[in-house]
Amino acid sequence: MRYHLITLGCQMNLSDGERIHTVLKEMGLVQTDSDSDAHVVGIIACSVRQKAIDKVYNQIARWNKSKNHRNLITFISGCILPDDRERFLKLFDIVFPMSEVNDLPGMITSFGVATPASLKLPVKGIPGNEQIFSLWNIQPDYQSAFEAFVPIQNGCDKFCTFCAVPYTRGREVSRPSGDIVNQVKDLIQQGYKSITLLGQNVNSYGLDKKGRELNFARLLREIGQTALQMDKMCWIYFTSPHPRDMSDEVIKVIAAYPHLANQIHLPLQSGDEKLLVKMNRNHSMERYREIVHTIRKKLPHATLFTDIIVGFTGEDEAQHQHTIEAMKEFRFNMAYVAQYSPRPGAASYRWEDTVPVEVKKRRLHDLNGVLQETASKHNHQTIGKTVRVLVTGSDRKPGYLKGLTEGKINIRFQANRTDLVGTFVELKVTGSNGLSLEGEMATVNITAMAPE
Amino acid sequence: MNVKVDEALYVIERVRHLTESTYVLRFSRNGMEFNPGQHLVLGLPGSSELREYSIYSGIHDDFLEVLIKEVDDGVVSRQLKSIKPGDKLEVRGPYGFFLTESGISRPARLLFISSGTGIAPFHSYIRSNPEVDYQVIHGVRKMEEAYDIRHYKKGSLQVCTSRDNQGDFEGRLTDYLLEVDIDSHRQVYLCGNSNMIFDAMDILRARGIPQRQIFTEVYF
């Protein structure tokens, strides 16, 4: 029997998906890239934006139609809001929370009778996170031979007014630090080159344990120290931190350990003080500025990424202008700019969505324009320099490979050697094309960290 | 996503009506630990509609209380208004970091500014820490909406009433902020509707309170 799995949304979902792959393969199912020849099909859903949920409805409609001429079992898990879950119970054969992925084989094999999932009480309010540890204990079936994700924390206690994550993933729970360090160690040993620590708020790691667990800075230090002792070339990232919990100590630790990558994703969401208040972000622009100042001082080569929402309820032109100014000031290397869409369950869902779609589109365009300017300027300055790159695959341009710098800047270069995928090379930067770079090969087969 | 419903049920002990639309819901504490400023998510058992409410009671009380104002098109605030002692309530939490994350350092001098039911977290804090040096500025429409005024130390609560002259100050609390002396060393906490918070923040900053001393929680 074959299965096909679609993963939507963030890297946390990708990481959860790797554990579903393990569970299905242990049942004897074989993964297929095409849903048309699969017997079991599933989706890991994302509720952060309506677009991702619309994709789920389109997909299940197609699968249910195909049931007219073939046997098919459908399942869904991931980040699902209560109202969508009610609808999915009618559309999918199996609906389950990720924390119960261990029960998936039983649900599939007993399908045809009432499934454990369908017998459960309707889920309301904020989900519990009690069984998340059983998910983490599943050995993931990594979908890449050189890039891996390591969940360190699940859930969110921050209650930003635009966000429904606390209602889909529950409250913050930290994974034991020993398990995290062991998984990272194992990945480095296996030769993984890019390892990303994952969580909805990675830098609030340990806070739920009230002093009985390492804090995020100390966890990073342990990981940095472990990687240093193993002396294998790899880059270790984390995402996403919340500015509210970003300590100077975290930045100092990154500066102290070479394997901790010089790339920081620091969501800003808005450059307007009052909108930050309305979003319940609980940090000021002054605080964000202090963090960026510390990053620039301690990690002068680090790239800075961010998330921005345009058109949040009540956002006026002056407030939008403040975000433009903030983007110019912080000179982000990458910004994921999204138009605000009210999410059921989030506090702002009950507020009027006041900014018209056309205005949101224009503001998104404005911010992407600023990003192009600041990122291009930074990229242009690297022309002529030699940079270390992790080769990630073939580029769309025939005869070219693509890769990522330590700062996660896309770069492509001419080479017909697919054996280089998953290895480090050194490239001389020859050009800049907006958000990405072009280079030419200088050195191949780099296995150790660069000397201090 | 699995919810153990039985463990989340709390028993209503008392409903205290403060005005025609505002009431205090008291229910069993069930051993819940919380910090003043945190909120709960609650509603009727089995209902898909749950809402966030700041805790109104203190950490030493053997019950939990929330302060609720019935809103015109509200679902939960209406449902809960007719709840009776002995009825069950579904409660999740506590959540949030308001008043705690900023690390109120003792002996701090605190200025609490609230509109309407936004006074709830400050009530919880003061009830939990009666010895602290605090001032509360509470903006309401009418004096009857100045809830439980005897719970505050004499002289520490200033009620600003915008639609009658029964308060300590007749007018909006933002007008009061423009007139009164403000100790620039106080840590300032604002809670309530966003427009009040935005206006108050502008005034406070113009009057020399640094942004780092200002903390907020938006209700709507």
Side-chain angles (χ1 to χ4, degrees), chain A residues 143-157:
Chain A
Q143 299 295 293
S144 161
F146 57 88
E147 183 183 33
F149 303 105
V150 177
I152 68 166
Q153 176 262 357
N154 189 64
C156 182
D157 286 356

Side-chain angles (χ1 to χ4, degrees), chain B residues 110-112 126 132-138 149 151-159 168 186:
Chain B
L110 310 173
L111 175 59
F112 296 135
I126 291 161
V132 294
D133 176 356
Y134 70 88
Q135 287 288 319
V136 180
I137 301 172
H138 189 204
I149 53 174
H151 292 184
Y152 303 88
K153 270 190 286 201
K154 199 172 177 189
S156 63
L157 173 68
Q158 299 297 312
V159 179
D168 302 296
R186 283 191 186 267

Side-chain angles (χ1 to χ4, degrees), chain A residues 281-297:
Chain A
R281 295 290 288 169
N282 272 313
H283 67 80
S284 61
M285 285 299 292
E286 186 184 354
R287 176 64 195 133
Y288 193 92
R289 197 167 280 121
E290 282 170 2
I291 298 168
V292 173
H293 177 73
T294 308
I295 292 169
R296 300 289 190 216
K297 195 171 155 197

Side-chain angles (χ1 to χ4, degrees), chain A residues 291-434:
Chain A
I291 298 168
V292 173
H293 177 73
T294 308
I295 292 169
R296 300 289 190 216
K297 195 171 155 197
K298 303 279 180 196
L299 304 169
H301 303 298
T303 55
L304 187 61
F305 288 22
T306 198
D307 298 322
I308 304 272
I309 295 172
V310 291
F312 185 63
T313 178
E315 184 189 64
D316 60 25
E317 284 302 325
Q319 291 172 321
H320 170 58
Q321 196 57 40
H322 290 157
T323 304
I324 290 177
E325 286 159 14
M327 284 197 61
K328 287 178 180 170
E329 178 185 351
F330 300 130
R331 294 175 281 116
F332 296 112
N333 301 91
M334 176 52 76
Y336 301 100
V337 185
Q339 295 177 51
Y340 170 67
S341 71
R343 308 305 305 133
S348 69
Y349 187 71
R350 299 192 287 274
W351 304 343
E352 193 183 349
D353 183 14
T354 54
V355 181
V357 175
E358 299 72 35
V359 176
K360 287 178 184 171
K361 279 184 187 165
R362 195 251 304 151
R363 289 180 186 171
L364 184 142
H365 182 74
D366 291 348
L367 296 190
N368 280 336
V370 177
L371 172 68
Q372 282 283 346
E373 278 174 34
T374 56
S376 297
K377 197 170 173 187
H378 173 270
N379 287 346
H380 197 76
Q381 286 166 351
T382 63
I383 294 173
K385 291 180 181 170
T386 300
V387 293
R388 193 164 282 196
V389 169
L390 173 60
V391 184
T392 55
S394 298
D395 192 68
R396 276 181 300 184
K397 188 172 178 180
Y400 277 72
L401 293 176
K402 64 179 178 181
L404 290 168
T405 66
E406 179 179 355
K408 291 209 168 192
I409 305 296
N410 287 301
I411 184 165
R412 70 180 178 188
F413 60 103
Q414 196 165 13
N416 266 322
R417 291 185 51 187
T418 50
D419 62 304
L420 291 178
V421 174
T423 70
F424 286 105
V425 297
E426 279 183 347
L427 302 178
K428 186 177 179 191
V429 180
T430 54
S432 162
N433 182 18

Side-chain angles (χ1 to χ4, degrees), chain A residues 1-6 20 24 27 29-32 34-43 63 67 70-76 93-94 96 104-105 107-109 111:
Chain A
M1 279 179 71
R2 290 177 296 276
Y3 77 92
H4 178 72
L5 182 65
I6 296 174
I20 291 188
L24 293 175
M27 284 181 74
L29 272 68
V30 177
Q31 184 179 357
T32 171
S34 164
D35 60 349
S36 58
D37 64 351
H39 305 93
V40 177
V41 289
I43 297 179
W63 284 341
K67 281 182 171 182
R70 65 170 173 150
N71 288 323
L72 189 66
I73 297 175
T74 61
F75 71 81
I76 187 161
D93 300 321
I94 297 166
F96 66 96
L104 181 59
M107 296 178 211
I108 290 174
T109 51
F111 181 70

